[in-house]
Amino acid sequence: MELSGAEIFLECLKAEKVDTIFGYPGGAVLFLYDALEKAEKENTIRHILARHEQGAVHAAEGYAKSTDKPGVAIVTSGPGATNAVTGIADAYMDSVPLVVITGQVNRDLIGRDAFQEIDIVGITRPCVKHNFLVTKLEELAPTMKKAFYLATSGRPGPVLVDIPKDLTAEKMAKADFSYPETITIRSYDPTTKGHPKQIRAAAKLIAQAKKPIIYSGGGVILSRAAEELIAFSHELDCPVTNTLMGLGAYPAMDKQFIGMLGMHGTYEANMAMHGADVVIAIGARFDDRVTGKLSKFCPDAKFIHIDIDPSSISKNVSADIPIVGDVKAVLPRLLAEYCSLGETIDANALKQWWRQVDEWRGQDSLAYNQKDDEPIMAQYVIDTLWQLTEGDAYITSDVGQHQMWAAQYYKFNKPNRWINSGGLGTMGFGLPAAMGVQLAHPNETVACITGDGSIQMCIQELATCNQYQLPLNIINLNNGYLGMVRQWQEFFYDKRYAMSYMDALPDFVKLAEAYGHVGMKIERPCDVEGALKEALSMKDRLVFLDIITKPEGNVFPMIPAGAGQNEMKLK
Amino acid sequence: MKTIQRHTISILLENESGALSRVAGLFSARGYNIESVNVSMTNDPSLSRMTLVTCGDEQTIEQIIKQLNKLVDVVKLMDLAEHKHIERELMMVKIAAKNIEACAAIKRIADIFRARIIDIANKTYTIEVTGGQAKIEAFLEAMNDHGIQEVVRSGALGIVRGSATLKVDEKA
Ligand SMILES: Cc1cc2nc3c(=O)[nH]c(=O)nc-3n(C[C@H](O)[C@H](O)[C@H](O)COP(=O)(O)OP(=O)(O)OC[C@H]3O[C@@H](n4cnc5c(N)ncnc54)[C@H](O)[C@@H]3O)c2cc1C
Ligand SMILES: Cc1ncc(C[n+]2csc(CCOP(=O)(O)OP(=O)(O)O)c2C)c(N)n1
């Protein structure tokens, strides 16, 4: 018996327990598709045909971000591969575990500008965790094993495997094939436990704090350490803030939670960071959207920084106590160490600190006022969605004002529910990502919060949703503008709205219907709740809600570029 | 004040196609300096060794080392600035002597620097010099008046003094 490269590829996917693969076929991957067809028949792996390779990769991201499995995508060589690059870069910036398979031209054609040849390994080198070009059939299985291992371990990320077409047709004896159970890569061994000395030093620093704050991020979600974070935070009883990527890692309804921090974070979160004396950064990477101007960032604080990637530590902000390790492993140790010190944070100081934080909270920086006879406010739509879904839906979003409002007004109590593009900020992410989420969770409510600009970037995926009967709720907050761009132009370019007006918008209702879905247009505040209820109740149809919102609404609070955390614009 | 320092970093790389461009790409993508880089095979066919000279303040150098370590193709590295070490560079220079007196002067300078004349034709001398950066530069300076036609330098190579080594641990 012999196995072809394509059959070996399939065996590798099965061994990795892949149940869903997102992709788009083409010449270089035809043998692989032939094998996938077989898998489809055996009911082992289902292939989801996106309508653009970018959509396939974002869908794989949505699948991965909402589960504890890596996302898998397959595309053809040349244009298929280049179309996938935006998705790969997105996954790189947000540390999403992905394995992306690209077809490549025959080995003897490589380097000759063959039809649909592109050096995708070269193109993606700066935006993958690692990539491979497979040149020998016997290396295919070990390479696949390495790809899955690298994508999912340590700081997760996308790994690309480029497979020449002739290799997928080549055969080898079945007896010679086995999928490695484990693999070691001599140069790669992520530190997970955290150094005991550093953990001890951190515990001591915490015990001496008078104004401590926990600043936690996407790393807690990637580490599946929400429970550990909650236990740790409850023991310390200090304020907790999350980054955009960390939302849901700490329950938004918990009394210690003071909201998101950063450019569009709450007043209390940014003021508390600014005033803190000890900042405990947990799986967060001090992004510039969080720190604002570095010289004004947390002027009085000492930093404890827990991160699995040493290069995240002291990259932007120098850590006083760096702890390299996995949050899930480090937090229980840090907690135990803190509890065994025999000293804890001074209760009086903490009480005073909370008094101050509560005073900032009193500012109520997210308050809004929806009047019946005025245009619909995006804030109101999301607030209502949150209430109707009891905070338990999976929410994906695109990029812009609607994304910030979703982050501010949908109060996530659980991890892996908030799926958005933070690092790259990729418009077009929301819809395909929602497909991936819905495929992973067929019985859950999935809503995509989007804008009239973003939705048009991957709108073709509405066809995919039809083919696979994905009952998404698409909430298009239609302000007629590239709102986030317009907001910046209003504040920093004297209201010169260069190219930010979205002229010639399609009739979204008809568009949704043309793709076989339900479309509804909502123009009055009093219709919002009813429409959302109706959409949510249609469990077997995709509903596209085109909600006409206030054209020139702005996202507040806002830290203008160059300002400090305590210099927020509140309105 | 941030002080800029020169660091020589020795790297053991997987001997894979693309490994070199991953390192080079890292430096260009993140805006780090490369003063020189040298890469060649070692006695272990699976590894190549790179010597890279860069400069930056302490924080930048720390990031460079972390980012290099993060590359899957980087097996092991050592910042030679943290150790007593030896650095050498090889240079070949072509010099066209203007006249007989110049020929003698060139030969004299070469002797002083313990450089070797390795080829000669039509009053054009090809000279090999080995040494640290300072010596190489002093040699070029000294030859400046003599019509330097061409310079080729290997970039620095470095190794730690004493019994310490940069090598991959044998599998346990
Ligand atoms: C329009 C727009 C506006 C934005 N505004 C804001 C804003 O106001 N506030 C805000 O916070 N963000 C904002 N962002 C997002 C911002 O750009 C960054 O994406 C985000 O701040 C990064 O979040 P993070 O620090 O949690 O890091 P992530 O990108 O989630 O990175 C996770 C970190 O955790 C580490 N890690 C991973 N796994 C583990 C593990 N197992 N154990 C330990 N560590 C681990 C990683 O090494 C990494 O350092 C905005 C984005 C857009 C597009
Ligand atoms: C692919 C891509 N192109 C451009 C941008 C820059 N950009 C950021 S937000 C934004 C406007 C988004 O408009 P819309 O989707 O209508 O959302 P709104 O801000 O109005 O809620 C633009 C153009 C981007 N983030 N991604």
Side-chain angles (χ1 to χ4, degrees):
Chain A
M1 268 288 279
E2 287 196 314
L3 283 177
S4 69
E7 286 164 332
I8 289 174
F9 168 76
L10 187 61
E11 291 309 313
C12 297
L13 294 185
K14 285 196 221 160
E16 289 292 341
K17 302 195 170 55
V18 174
D19 57 16
T20 309
I21 177 167
F22 302 86
Y24 207 94
V29 285
L30 282 178
F31 289 109
L32 297 178
Y33 267 77
D34 213 29
L36 286 171
E37 167 75 11
K38 196 173 121 200
E40 194 94 12
K41 288 221 178 79
E42 314 169 334
N43 247 331
T44 44
I45 299 171
R46 75 185 150 164
H47 176 277
I48 304 297
L49 177 68
R51 293 303 186 268
H52 185 293
E53 289 85 354
Q54 182 187 350
V57 180
H58 288 326
E61 286 187 273
Y63 181 92
K65 282 188 178 212
S66 66
T67 62
D68 55 5
K69 291 184 278 190
V72 186
I74 176 170
V75 300
T76 192
S77 68
T82 54
N83 269 350
V85 172
T86 300
I88 294 170
D90 189 87
Y92 178 71
M93 293 296 280
D94 286 346
S95 308
V96 186
L98 285 193
V99 174
V100 179
I101 311 299
T102 48
Q104 184 52 277
V105 300
N106 289 354
R107 280 166 286 185
D108 60 351
L109 291 177
I110 291 179
R112 297 176 182 220
D113 300 319
F115 177 62
Q116 298 194 326
E117 176 186 1
I118 200 77
D119 174 15
I120 196 62
V121 167
I123 287 177
T124 57
R125 215 170 262 141
C127 61
V128 290
K129 183 165 172 184
H130 198 58
N131 57 18
F132 300 93
L133 167 67
V134 188
T135 53
K136 292 192 193 100
L137 185 55
E138 61 273 21
E139 280 169 11
L140 179 57
T143 304
M144 291 295 287
K145 181 74 196 180
K146 281 185 195 165
F148 277 92
Y149 171 55
L150 286 169
T152 54
S153 59
R155 179 179 185 168
V159 178
L160 179 139
V161 183
D162 198 23
I163 310 179
K165 181 174 186 179
D166 60 324
L167 190 143
T168 60
E170 194 182 322
K171 294 196 167 154
M172 67 188 249
K174 192 170 183 181
D176 293 341
F177 167 76
S178 72
Y179 193 69
E181 281 198 1
T182 57
I183 199 127
T184 50
I185 301 176
R186 61 177 168 179
S187 57
Y188 176 82
D189 184 19
T191 309
T192 55
K193 287 204 184 79
H195 198 290
K197 224 175 88 193
Q198 297 295 86
I199 291 177
R200 187 162 189 89
K204 281 191 178 150
L205 182 60
I206 293 169
Q208 282 152 21
K210 295 194 161 57
K211 302 172 181 178
I213 186 167
I214 292 173
Y215 148 50
S216 69
V220 178
I221 293 175
L222 293 164
S223 174
R224 313 196 188 291
E227 263 176 52
E228 287 79 358
L229 175 65
I230 294 168
F232 179 73
S233 308
H234 282 173
E235 179 63 36
L236 265 48
D237 196 25
C238 67
V240 181
T241 178
N242 277 168
T243 66
L244 180 73
M245 304 315 286
L247 294 175
Y250 194 82
M253 300 310 285
D254 185 286
K255 67 180 189 340
Q256 281 170 252
F257 189 63
I258 56 171
M260 178 172 85
L261 81 167
M263 180 173 276
H264 293 298
T266 63
Y267 182 71
E268 54 270 37
N270 285 321
M271 291 302 284
M273 283 292 282
H274 191 80
D277 65 350
V278 173
V279 171
I280 311 165
I282 308 177
R285 58 184 175 82
F286 292 88
D287 183 85
D288 49 83
R289 298 270 128 160
V290 163
T291 60
K293 196 164 175 68
L294 280 172
S295 58
K296 297 181 179 175
F297 179 66
C298 300
D300 304 325
K302 284 206 154 47
F303 295 97
I304 297 167
H305 192 175
I306 307 170
D307 203 292
I308 201 159
D309 177 357
S311 78
S312 280
I313 298 180
S314 298
K315 176 166 61 186
N316 301 331
V317 171
S318 183
D320 297 279
I321 304 181
I323 304 178
V324 178
D326 185 346
V327 172
K328 201 171 180 74
V330 171
L331 276 187
R333 289 189 173 86
L334 180 56
L335 180 58
E337 191 70 42
Y338 174 75
C339 292
S340 69
L341 277 181
E343 59 173 322
T344 52
I345 302 170
D346 178 69
N348 264 329
L350 195 60
K351 208 186 242 170
Q352 259 180 356
W353 176 226
W354 267 118
R355 204 170 294 144
Q356 172 67 74
V357 173
D358 283 335
E359 200 181 305
W360 288 322
R361 250 185 191 161
Q363 178 77 35
D364 202 2
S365 61
L366 296 182
Y368 68 91
N369 184 6
Q370 174 73 70
K371 300 207 178 96
D372 286 342
D373 54 351
E374 283 183 2
I376 298 171
M377 296 177 73
Q379 294 90 325
Y380 169 65
V381 177
I382 292 163
D383 200 357
T384 310
L385 177 71
W386 168 64
Q387 291 180 31
L388 292 176
T389 53
E390 293 169 1
D392 208 26
Y394 286 83
I395 307 289
T396 74
S397 117
D398 265 303
V399 171
Q401 292 181 314
H402 60 274
Q403 176 188 24
M404 292 299 107
W405 283 316
Q408 291 173 333
Y409 293 92
Y410 199 98
K411 311 223 176 297
F412 295 93
N413 283 321
K414 291 183 195 160
N416 306 94
R417 299 280 162 139
W418 167 234
I419 283 125
N420 83 134
S421 164
L424 197 64
T426 312
M427 290 170 68
F429 173 86
L431 170 55
M435 305 187 316
V437 176
Q438 187 79 78
L439 283 156
H441 307 276
N443 301 317
E444 304 284 338
T445 300
V446 181
C448 165
I449 294 173
T450 182
D452 45 288
S454 294
I455 191 65
Q456 295 187 76
M457 287 228 177
C458 279
I459 192 85
Q460 73 287 346
E461 299 305 334
L462 284 175
T464 315
C465 296
N466 185 1
Q467 179 173 350
Y468 300 98
Q469 296 291 302
L470 305 177
L472 305 178
N473 300 278
I474 296 179
I475 295 164
N476 186 33
L477 296 172
N478 185 345
N479 53 12
Y481 280 105
L482 297 174
M484 187 54 96
V485 172
R486 192 208 54 74
Q487 176 168 348
W488 280 65
Q489 290 170 333
E490 177 182 336
F491 293 166
F492 311 119
Y493 297 86
D494 278 333
K495 297 199 177 184
R496 288 186 301 277
Y497 293 160
M499 309 307 145
S500 56
Y501 181 64
M502 275 275 97
D503 214 340
L505 280 178
D507 179 334
F508 285 110
V509 172
K510 281 193 187 150
L511 186 80
E513 287 169 359
Y515 276 108
H517 304 301
V518 178
M520 293 189 224
K521 185 168 179 170
I522 292 92
E523 292 173 281
R524 296 180 309 171
C526 59
D527 295 332
V528 168
E529 188 173 343
L532 282 172
K533 274 190 182 152
E534 195 181 339
L536 292 166
S537 69
M538 280 191 246
K539 300 275 185 212
D540 55 354
R541 296 298 298 274
L542 182 151
V543 182
F544 191 114
L545 291 181
D546 186 26
I547 305 184
I548 309 303
T549 56
K550 184 175 166 185
E552 298 187 8
N554 287 320
V555 182
F556 293 116
M558 175 175 190
I559 303 178
Q565 301 152 295
N566 57 340
E567 299 167 325
M568 266 162 286
K569 252 171 109 83
L570 292 174
K571 54 176 186 283
Chain B
M1 254 298 281
K2 288 183 169 177
T3 49
I4 304 293
Q5 280 188 329
R6 180 176 175 276
H7 283 243
T8 304
I9 303 171
S10 284
I11 305 165
L12 290 176
L13 273 182
E14 292 289 357
N15 187 10
E16 303 257 355
S17 78
L20 173 59
S21 58
R22 283 183 215 277
V23 175
L26 172 70
F27 275 71
S28 59
R30 294 188 182 266
Y32 303 142
N33 280 305
I34 299 188
E35 207 170 274
S36 75
V37 58
N38 173 291
V39 57
S40 190
M41 51 203 168
T42 64
N43 57 333
D44 175 345
S46 72
L47 288 173
S48 43
R49 176 154 173 159
M50 178 182 263
T51 310
L52 194 150
V53 181
T54 181
C55 57
D57 57 45
E58 202 185 315
Q59 202 190 352
T60 308
I61 298 290
E62 186 183 322
Q63 261 301 309
I64 288 175
I65 289 179
K66 287 174 171 178
Q67 293 290 348
L68 281 169
N69 268 318
K70 201 169 146 176
L71 293 177
V72 174
D73 283 339
V74 168
V75 182
K76 210 167 180 183
L77 64 77
M78 203 177 213
D79 180 358
L80 296 184
E82 288 177 359
H83 305 265
K84 286 208 171 100
H85 70 280
I86 304 165
E87 261 178 53
R88 288 290 181 273
E89 184 171 353
L90 179 114
M91 172 170 72
M92 291 188 275
V93 192
K94 230 173 229 187
I95 296 168
K98 291 182 200 97
N99 46 42
I100 295 293
E101 292 81 66
C103 288
I106 289 167
K107 221 178 147 318
R108 211 167 40 244
I109 297 172
D111 284 343
I112 293 170
F113 282 87
R114 295 200 206 172
R116 298 197 304 147
I117 297 170
I118 50 177
D119 189 42
I120 179 164
N122 280 339
K123 286 197 234 137
T124 299
Y125 290 83
T126 304
I127 306 176
E128 174 194 318
V129 200
T130 311
Q133 193 188 22
K135 174 175 164 185
I136 298 276
E137 267 149 31
F139 180 82
L140 284 174
E141 173 89 34
M143 284 293 184
N144 220 0
D145 293 338
H146 290 288
I148 297 177
Q149 304 296 311
E150 191 178 343
V151 173
V152 52
R153 298 171 62 165
S154 65
L157 301 175
I159 199 161
V160 176
R161 283 187 185 276
S163 57
T165 54
L166 174 64
K167 65 175 183 198
V168 179
D169 306 323
E170 299 295 324
K171 272 200 203 102

